Amino acid sequence: MTRESLTCEDGEIIAFKRNIGQADAPTFIWCGGLKSDMEGGKAVHLHAWAKSRDVNYIRFDYFGHGESSGDFVDGTLSRWAGDVERVMDALTNGPVILFGSSMGGWASLLSAAARPDKVKGLILINPAPDFTEKMVYASWDDARREMLETDGVVYEPSDYGEPYAYSKALIEDGRARQILDAPIEFSGPVRILQGEQDSVVAWEYSHKIMGALSSQDVLYTLIKGGDHSLSRPEDLKLLTQTADSILTQL
């Protein structure tokens, strides 16, 4: 699959891959998690699904991720949600369904609010809205919070080799972009897939999204034994079944 690129208004480059399906088919866009990239298992699996269904599909790397330009430490939620909107604006014409995984769930919800004329459905996988404030910053002791003020960044271990870099800009921007404490205005169908054994995003946390969403068409699926990646064969099957159901509905 050919790697393509989109040049942003500030000169940064968003790398992406896509399947071009039927002209009248909706476009599904994969919005990955923090530090993940478009070559992840779920993103690639969905690309094959889209090809088999002849629908439009885009997977991309956020600023500072994967093959896109920029340094991760300079990224913020506003930037990453903005990347979703840039991809939508430049590469889609009709209705859009967003897959949002972990941090990508937050970016998807922000983008749906920013582009209500485009986003018609959401499929959220272990979504983590507000995680910088309610999960990361809330868990820090005074020493880490002081380090953020003095050094401008706090490093935490990750499953991706190099550590997560939580910059002061990321924490402050995330604090300003929180959405769980007020109604989330979205009228389309929302499907939330949550791993029961997720050690990163507890199911009790992601379940709060149901109460915040204004949509009356929301299904929350708690997957027994599922972890944060939800990449087992049965998880991937459920993911594509969910995509099929949204495609049929829309």
Side-chain angles (χ1 to χ4, degrees):
M1 298 171 186
T2 304
R3 172 196 176 279
E4 301 179 71
S5 62
L6 172 66
T7 302
C8 304
E9 67 279 359
D10 59 359
E12 299 292 350
I13 301 296
I14 296 175
F16 68 92
K17 293 183 179 180
R18 60 179 165 178
N19 180 71
I20 299 177
Q22 301 177 47
D24 60 347
T27 299
F28 289 79
I29 300 177
W30 175 257
C31 307
L34 191 71
K35 297 285 282 184
S36 67
D37 59 47
M38 63 178 168
E39 299 302 331
K42 292 187 292 296
V44 173
H45 181 80
L46 287 168
H47 201 139
W49 165 84
K51 188 173 182 179
S52 73
R53 297 295 189 270
D54 199 21
V55 297
N56 304 296
Y57 175 76
I58 301 168
R59 51 186 166 112
F60 72 97
D61 289 334
Y62 304 109
F63 170 90
H65 288 67
E67 298 182 55
S68 291
S69 65
D71 292 327
F72 175 83
V73 72
D74 296 325
T76 63
L77 259 298
S78 292
R79 176 77 208 201
W80 296 326
D83 288 343
V84 180
E85 294 150 27
R86 292 176 183 94
V87 168
M88 280 195 284
D89 293 345
L91 303 177
T92 72
N93 294 311
V96 170
I97 298 93
L98 298 177
F99 292 103
S101 178
S102 193
M103 182 273 285
W106 189 3
S108 296
L109 288 162
L110 289 171
S111 298
R115 299 289 187 275
D117 57 324
K118 276 188 168 288
V119 181
K120 301 304 179 184
L122 295 169
I123 300 173
L124 308 178
I125 304 99
N126 293 326
D130 303 359
F131 80 92
T132 53
E133 184 69 14
K134 293 182 171 68
M135 295 169 61
V136 176
Y137 191 80
S139 71
W140 283 351
D141 55 19
D142 290 341
R144 281 186 174 83
R145 294 182 180 186
E146 184 177 347
M147 184 183 299
L148 185 71
E149 295 299 321
T150 57
D151 299 344
V153 63
V154 173
Y155 293 95
E156 296 278 7
S158 82
D159 295 329
Y160 298 92
E162 60 183 23
Y164 291 119
Y166 293 107
S167 69
K168 187 175 181 180
L170 173 59
I171 295 297
E172 290 181 345
D173 179 75
R175 183 173 294 143
R177 302 303 300 274
Q178 293 182 86
I179 58 175
L180 281 178
D181 299 326
I184 301 173
E185 298 298 332
F186 183 74
S187 59
V190 181
R191 305 292 178 261
I192 302 173
L193 306 179
Q194 173 67 48
E196 177 210 15
Q197 297 297 322
D198 188 343
S199 61
V200 179
V201 181
W203 71 264
E204 294 91 343
Y205 185 88
S206 66
H207 194 267
K208 297 175 184 177
I209 299 171
M210 288 194 71
L213 281 163
S214 62
S215 174
Q216 296 302 301
D217 186 4
V218 183
L219 296 178
Y220 184 97
T221 302
L222 185 61
I223 302 165
K224 185 174 182 178
D227 61 9
H228 190 62
S229 69
L230 283 182
S231 295
R232 301 171 301 176
E234 59 266 39
D235 300 329
L236 297 176
K237 181 179 180 180
L238 178 59
L239 181 57
T240 53
Q241 287 175 339
T242 303
D244 276 328
S245 70
I246 291 286
L247 180 61
T248 300
Q249 181 173 343
L250 295 179

